[in-house]
Every structure is written in structure tokens, then in C-alpha cells.
Amino acid sequence: MSILITNIKQLLQVHKHNVTIVKGEEMKKLSILENAYLYIEHDTIIEYGTMDEYHPIEAETTIDATGRIVLPSWCDSHTHIVYAGDRTGEYVDRINGLSYADIASRGGGILNSAKKLQNTSEEDLYNQSIKRLDEIIKMGTGAVEIKTGYGLTIDAELKMLRVIKRIKQDTLAFIAPTLLAAHAIPEEYRKNKEEYIKLITNELIPKAGDLNISHFIDVFCEEGYFDIEDLETILKAGQVHNFRPKIHVNQFNILGGVALGVKHNALSVDHLELLNDGDIEALKDSNTMPVALPGCSFFLGIPYTPARKLIDAGLPLAIATDYNPGSAPSGNMNFIVGAACAKLKLTPEEAINAATINGAYAMGISNMYGSVTRGKKANFIITKPMNHYREIPYSFAHNPVDQIIINGQLL
Ligand SMILES: N=CN[C@@H](CCC(=O)O)C(=O)O
Ligand SMILES: [Zn+2]
């Protein structure tokens, strides 16, 4: 299959030589070709340039993109889209004044989702989850990280991993599986967290490692969940089975998870609604990507990640949806890009960098995704007619997507 796109009003994120991460001041730049063409063969970017350099290319499909913008598909590096049912009841409880913590303390929250998932067949869980993935692909996402973490028993967590593997096999999008080995303490271990941690380190991690589905490990490091000692214990056990950390830290409290994540060569530290100077220092000269989740802050009404503090300190930033039934029931990366500008105060260029190349980095795939570079994967958004790419975050609740190309296939 070959696709030629011509008369592209603006082709975004063009890099002749591959870029795998964008930091600090560099995030303010977005390399653009005006009035461009793009040629794709199978699943790969073969050629691109401006129309005045263009020489006729034979292609099976030709798209005239006059007045429209073409950019790499969104790279959503933090989702929990494999889950059963929903938590709309809790949503109303929160509107009526209960906090996320109040609901969790009454056995709601993650434990509510775990009960539903334990009582849902693997087939049904797959059918519910693949629908969510198909929906976010239509909204422009081409690479998605998917976590476990709603099983909370060995069998249910491994069931989640098998569903993620089946999704990976059945979709054109890139899927990065993550073992969220420690998401919440099950009721039966409430008074014996140490026992649950032993189950995780001695049984879940080795069994998940043997399945060879996921290469990332995650822990929810938070008061009432897993503390900094638990985090170190679990990351060390993960390292034995070659799991690289991508961890939930600093959402409601600062427990030291950022520095510990950097110490364990975390690929990303996610949430960061709270940050102190020590966190910023720990991240400098590290290979760890800070990830902000503005959809969660929007939905829970909690602070937004101080993204300007991170970028102005010369650090990179990725943005992601956190798509999950409790704190962010939306996988719309277009909204996240809009929220990054409106609430994190990122420029449109910074937000697009954070949702493409840096999002790919936070999944370990920015050598193959996240920019228009010869030889990289052909995952693209072709927008509806618009005057400037700034309209993508500006029209924050609109859908800018007209057509998508995933793995070189026009959908
Ligand atoms: N904070 C922990 N985990 C998810 C929420 C999980 C849930 O509430 O179901 C998050 O990233 O927000
Ligand atoms: Zn999350």
C-alpha cells in the first residue's frame, strides 16, 4: 500500500535527522513545512518535501490535503483503558462533595473497578477495552501505553496482561503494555500490606516476566497506597525481571517518588501535580520523562502539574490522557493538547511536542514514532480544513481530525 499526500497546508514535526526527545527551550520550536507533500510505502515514511520540490510520484492512493494540516498521530504514554464497567456512581458522589480519598476509604475507587474486573470474563474485558481503543484511534492517537492494575489478584492481573497482548495483536496502533503491579491494597490485605507486597514481588512479577508481554512496571506511590519503601522493594523486584519503571508519583502528596524513580532509571514519572525543587533537581541530567495528566486534574478538580517549572528548568515534558474509569474517563488527546495550553500554560508548539515526540519517548519508541522522519512509522492525523495548527489546542473541545493513517493504512 502506498499513499501520497499533496498540497499539505502545514506538515508538522519534520526532522531530517531523527529526534527522540525535546527539552526546555527546544520545546518552543516546531519544525514545519508549508505547502508540502508526504509519501508513504507500507508502514513507513519514505519521502516528504515542499510542493515546489515535488516530482510526480506514482501511489495507489493520493490525498489532496489543500487547506489541511498533517502531523504525527498522538502518542498517549499513560492509560488504564483495560477496565470493566464504569464508576459513574462515584462521579455523582464526588459532585455531591465526596473526595477521591473519601470514596477510596469506603471501598470505592480502584477497589470498585477491581471487583468489577475480577467478575468479568477475559472475552468481555477485551470487547469493552478494544472499543475504547478504536474510539481513541479515530480521535488521532496512534500509540498507546496500557496498564494493568485493576486485577489486584495474580489471576486477574495476568488476565489483564493477556487482554493487553490480544489488543496489541489486533490493532494497527502501537501498544506499550505496563504491569501496574501495585495500584491499591486489596481489602483482604488492608491489615497486612507486607503480605500483599510479598505476593507482588514473589509471584506476580515473576509470572508477568515469564509472559514477556510487558517491559514496564508501575506503582502508585501515594499515601494510603504504596509508600517510598514499598516502591523501592517493588522496583528492585521488577529490575530482576527486566521491568523498567514508569511510575505514578506526586499526585496528592510528595513522598520522594521522583528521586527514587530517577535512581531506578525510570522511563517516566507521571502525575506530578505536586513538585518541589528537589524533584526538579533529581530530574536534571536524568533520562526520565516527566509526564503531566491534565485530564485527571480537570476531572478530579486537583492542581495541574506545574509544567512551566519543569520546561523552564530545561526539562522535557510529555502529556497523556490517564484514560481510566475513576479519575480521567476520557482518551481524547485533542482535549489534552488543548488543556495543556489552557491550564499548563504550554504554547501550542510545546503541547504538540509533548503529545508527539515526547509521548513516544515516554513509551521507549521515539526512535520509530512521533516525528516526520524518513524511515519512521507512518502514523498521521490529517486535520479538517483550518488556517493554522494553533487551532488544534485553541478549539479545545472540537475534533480536528478528518482522516487518520495508522501503520501506513488510511482509516
Ligand atoms: N492514581 C492512580 N491511578 C489512576 C486512577 C485510578 C482510578 O481511580 O481508577 C490515576 O492515574 O489517576
Ligand atoms: Zn494513571
Side-chain angles (χ1 to χ4, degrees):
M1 169 92 168
S2 58
I3 301 175
L4 171 66
I5 310 175
T6 58
N7 305 314
I8 301 167
K9 188 178 181 70
Q10 293 174 317
L11 179 61
L12 309 187
Q13 199 64 288
V14 177
H15 292 281
K16 191 159 179 270
H17 305 295
N18 195 18
V19 168
T20 56
I21 189 169
V22 184
K23 302 181 180 182
E25 276 304 300
E26 287 304 302
M27 286 194 71
K28 285 188 170 54
K29 297 174 197 152
L30 189 63
S31 51
I32 297 160
L33 281 188
E34 311 273 352
N35 194 24
Y37 73 92
L38 174 64
Y39 177 62
I40 295 160
E41 253 173 32
H42 302 304
D43 60 356
T44 305
I45 298 167
I46 302 295
E47 193 49 78
Y48 61 82
T50 55
M51 286 308 288
D52 53 19
E53 300 161 336
Y54 171 69
H55 299 293
I57 300 174
E58 273 301 302
E60 286 159 68
T61 304
T62 299
I63 299 169
D64 179 346
T66 301
R68 298 192 287 166
I69 289 161
V70 175
L71 63 154
S73 301
W74 304 127
C75 296
D76 189 353
S77 65
H78 183 131
T79 87
H80 305 252
I81 66 167
V82 174
Y83 62 85
D86 62 54
R87 289 181 11 214
T88 52
E90 292 179 8
Y91 180 46
V92 176
D93 289 344
R94 277 204 296 106
I95 291 166
N96 291 328
L98 286 182
S99 71
Y100 184 86
D102 295 335
I103 291 165
S105 64
R106 310 188 332 180
I110 296 165
L111 300 187
N112 183 359
S113 287
K115 252 181 247 124
K116 291 177 194 287
L117 188 133
Q118 289 160 8
N119 297 317
T120 300
S121 72
E122 192 164 324
E123 184 67 20
D124 187 3
L125 185 60
Y126 168 81
N127 290 331
Q128 290 184 44
S129 307
I130 194 78
K131 276 202 196 86
R132 295 184 194 112
L133 179 69
D134 289 344
E135 186 196 14
I136 64 177
I137 287 173
K138 290 192 186 84
M139 290 192 276
T141 297
V144 195
E145 184 255 14
I146 306 179
K147 303 174 188 289
T148 69
Y150 287 125
L152 305 194
T153 66
I154 302 292
D155 287 350
E157 285 293 320
L158 298 182
K159 172 168 76 174
M160 290 191 75
L161 274 179
R162 290 194 299 271
V163 166
I164 297 170
K165 180 183 177 183
R166 190 174 157 196
I167 288 171
K168 188 175 177 72
Q169 287 165 341
D170 291 358
T171 183
L172 289 168
F174 179 89
I175 303 295
T178 293
L179 175 71
L180 175 41
H183 201 189
I185 303 153
E187 211 52 54
E188 58 273 32
Y189 288 96
R190 267 273 159 234
K191 293 189 171 45
N192 195 349
K193 182 175 71 166
E194 298 318 316
E195 260 325 286
Y196 185 57
I197 290 171
K198 280 202 192 99
L199 189 73
I200 291 169
T201 55
N202 300 343
E203 213 178 319
L204 175 59
I205 290 173
K207 285 187 173 169
D210 291 346
L211 285 178
N212 195 25
I213 294 170
S214 160
H215 304 293
F216 299 123
I217 189 165
D218 190 352
V219 174
F220 182 21
C221 183
E222 184 55 64
E223 277 180 18
Y225 296 88
F226 298 91
D227 63 28
I228 199 72
E229 288 73 31
D230 304 335
L231 178 63
E232 179 121 64
T233 302
I234 295 164
L235 294 189
K236 280 182 175 167
Q239 248 141 5
V240 169
H241 296 271
N242 301 314
F243 285 104
R244 188 173 180 191
K246 280 175 60 61
I247 51 179
H248 283 72
V249 290
N250 291 32
Q251 182 176 6
F252 301 104
N253 293 282
I254 294 179
L255 304 182
V258 169
L260 192 67
V262 169
K263 177 186 161 194
H264 287 273
N265 190 32
L267 182 56
S268 70
V269 286
D270 300 40
H271 271 288
L272 309 176
E273 285 81 354
L274 303 174
L275 264 182
N276 61 29
D277 293 344
D279 292 331
I280 300 276
E281 284 313 305
L283 284 162
K284 284 181 179 169
D285 305 328
S286 82
N287 298 317
T288 300
M289 176 63 71
V291 180
L293 307 168
C296 177
S297 302
F298 167 81
F299 192 72
L300 288 187
I302 60 176
Y304 285 85
T305 304
R308 283 262 54 98
K309 205 172 164 185
L310 288 158
I311 297 174
D312 296 346
L315 290 168
L317 182 79
I319 54 178
T321 63
D322 191 21
Y323 192 177
N324 77 76
S327 68
S330 168
N332 186 340
M333 277 295 284
N334 302 295
F335 174 76
I336 294 300
V337 169
C341 293
K343 305 303 278 187
L344 302 182
K345 299 302 172 205
L346 266 58
T347 63
E349 294 75 18
E350 288 171 327
I352 292 170
N353 276 316
T356 52
I357 193 70
N358 281 357
Y361 179 93
M363 288 184 268
I365 58 170
S366 56
N367 59 327
M368 289 305 290
Y369 292 85
S371 72
V372 182
T373 306
R374 291 177 188 85
K376 280 182 115 170
K377 286 286 181 187
N379 277 11
F380 290 98
I381 293 167
I382 304 172
T383 71
K384 294 167 182 164
M386 59 174 72
N387 294 322
H388 196 282
Y389 63 80
R390 289 190 295 260
E391 287 180 43
I392 295 172
Y394 171 78
S395 306
F396 66 98
H398 287 213
N399 176 9
V401 176
D402 187 14
Q403 293 173 288
I404 50 171
I405 293 171
I406 289 268
N407 233 28
Q409 293 195 32
L410 183 62
L411 297 187

